Amino acid sequence: MLGKFDYTNRLSRYLSNSPINIPLPRLPDMPFQYIDALDVANFIVGAIKQDLSGVFNLAGDSISRDEFFSIFAKVQGRKIIESDSKNLSDFPLHEHEIFSNIRTISSNSAQSFGLKFTSVQKTLSHY
């Protein structure tokens, strides 16, 4: 979950490392999913109003990690540089590639009940 009022420091850590660059580890491109926290809140409010119950995956469509960070860099006016660090703990939002399949869940059911998505550019502008 990302966006306005995200105090986890996962994404803002990329900005605090350098005023010019966003370092990324050299990894095979992996799928990446996110959702704006306000989209989750709006879905929950809508579900309460509709007296909806069930299990729903709330995640945006999968995009590539490189595409996500390219948009992030553009919104922030920065450049991406590849890092030689192999320590993934230096890179929030990254994990070993064997776990990348968890970034491809479907939210079709939630979308059919009103889940709407904020654009990635707007979400990333809050950082």
Side-chain angles (χ1 to χ4, degrees), residues 26-125:
R26 288 189 177 119
L27 289 173
D29 198 23
M30 66 172 136
F32 189 88
Q33 284 182 292
Y34 80 96
I35 189 163
D36 192 295
L38 293 176
D39 296 341
V40 172
N42 288 331
F43 179 78
I44 292 170
V45 168
I48 291 168
K49 287 180 180 177
Q50 296 175 57
D51 198 25
L52 185 63
S53 64
V55 177
F56 299 95
N57 294 321
L58 302 183
D61 293 332
S62 183
I63 64 174
S64 73
R65 175 206 73 159
D66 292 348
E67 180 182 359
F68 178 86
F69 279 97
S70 176
I71 294 167
F72 186 47
K74 187 174 181 177
V75 167
Q76 296 298 321
R78 298 179 186 221
K79 293 182 181 179
I80 293 175
I81 58 167
E82 287 189 336
S83 172
D84 292 325
S85 174
K86 302 291 185 202
N87 185 1
L88 291 183
S89 65
D90 292 339
F91 304 98
L93 306 175
H94 284 80
E95 75 277 316
H96 194 279
E97 60 197 76
I98 63 170
F99 299 116
S100 67
N101 64 334
I102 65 171
R103 296 183 182 271
T104 57
I105 62 173
S106 170
S107 62
N108 289 340
S109 179
Q111 289 178 56
S112 70
F113 285 102
L115 177 64
K116 303 271 189 267
F117 299 110
T118 301
S119 73
V120 66
Q121 291 85 353
K122 184 172 181 181
T123 296
L124 294 176
S125 71

Side-chain angles (χ1 to χ4, degrees), residues 8-21:
T8 62
N9 202 26
R10 292 176 300 208
L11 201 52
S12 56
R13 227 169 111 192
Y14 287 94
L15 301 177
S16 65
N17 289 338
S18 168
I20 299 169
N21 301 315

